[in-house]
Amino acid sequence: ITGGSSGVGKSLVEYLSERFTVVTVARRIDRLKSLFGGNDSVYTYELDLAEVSQISDQIELLISEHGPILYLINNAAINQSGSIENVSPDAMETSMRINTIAPIEVLQTLLPSMKRHNFGRVINVTSGAPLDIPEGAIPYSSSKAALNVATVTAARELSEYDIKIN
């Protein structure tokens, strides 16, 4: 589970760790350790998804320590706002990097193992924002719309495997 230090990610880690072993990552490792340090079912790791070049190496470390990771919840996100008149290129780039590119990179790193096992379950947490199209949310809505498209495309491309991506 990415983004396990707060919000939906934190709730998912809490809930799922009651029945499963959970590996979670977040940029706020101190917060993760504070929340889950006493839970023997949760393994916490630092990963800043804004640093896309580091994602593959960190995920490979998780695989080396825990074996194949066949379940993934891409939850981490950033909610930057901005209207068409004032949205900055940096806000757009950061939103796309964290909300779209990073989940794709995480999945790409896990896919070889999923394909070898002919099994994988992936949930990319998106949003209704691309459908509701709220004003002032161009970075967030655009990045989540792109993740929606990437999710559907990946599911179609991997349809010959027992890998489900939603």
Side-chain angles (χ1 to χ4, degrees):
I1 299 173
T2 65
S5 64
S6 64
V8 171
K10 175 181 169 271
S11 296
L12 286 168
V13 173
E14 290 170 345
Y15 178 75
L16 292 173
S17 68
E18 293 175 7
R19 295 186 7 207
F20 304 99
T21 298
V22 176
V23 176
T24 186
V25 298
R27 63 183 159 77
R28 296 181 291 186
I29 189 64
D30 292 339
R31 183 168 169 87
L32 272 182
K33 287 180 179 180
S34 171
L35 290 167
F36 303 112
N39 186 334
D40 293 338
S41 296
V42 179
Y43 294 88
T44 60
Y45 294 87
E46 183 175 13
L47 179 59
D48 184 349
L49 295 176
E51 302 296 331
V52 175
S53 64
Q54 298 175 11
I55 292 173
S56 180
D57 289 342
Q58 184 66 12
I59 298 300
E60 291 292 345
L61 172 68
L62 301 181
I63 293 169
S64 73
E65 292 185 11
H66 299 282
I69 297 173
L70 304 176
Y71 297 87
L72 168 64
I73 300 175
N74 269 320
N75 168 73
I78 186 170
N79 188 353
Q80 291 195 317
S81 60
S83 68
I84 194 63
E85 292 182 310
N86 67 16
V87 67
S88 71
D90 286 344
M92 290 298 298
E93 182 182 325
T94 300
S95 292
M96 292 302 287
R97 188 173 344 109
I98 294 171
N99 298 352
T100 308
I101 297 167
I104 292 169
E105 179 72 16
V106 172
L107 177 57
Q108 284 177 326
T109 306
L110 295 176
L111 268 178
S113 181
M114 289 179 177
K115 288 170 99 175
R116 272 193 309 280
H117 287 84
N118 192 36
F119 183 85
R121 297 296 181 261
V122 179
I123 297 172
N124 288 330
V125 178
T126 62
S127 166
L131 302 173
D132 297 337
I133 312 170
E135 294 178 18
I138 288 174
Y140 181 76
S141 296
S142 298
S143 65
K144 289 299 190 171
L147 183 58
N148 287 345
V149 171
T151 299
V152 172
T153 302
R156 289 179 180 169
E157 290 176 355
L158 297 165
S159 64
E160 68 188 79
Y161 298 93
D162 187 15
I163 299 171
K164 307 297 181 208
I165 304 173
N166 297 287

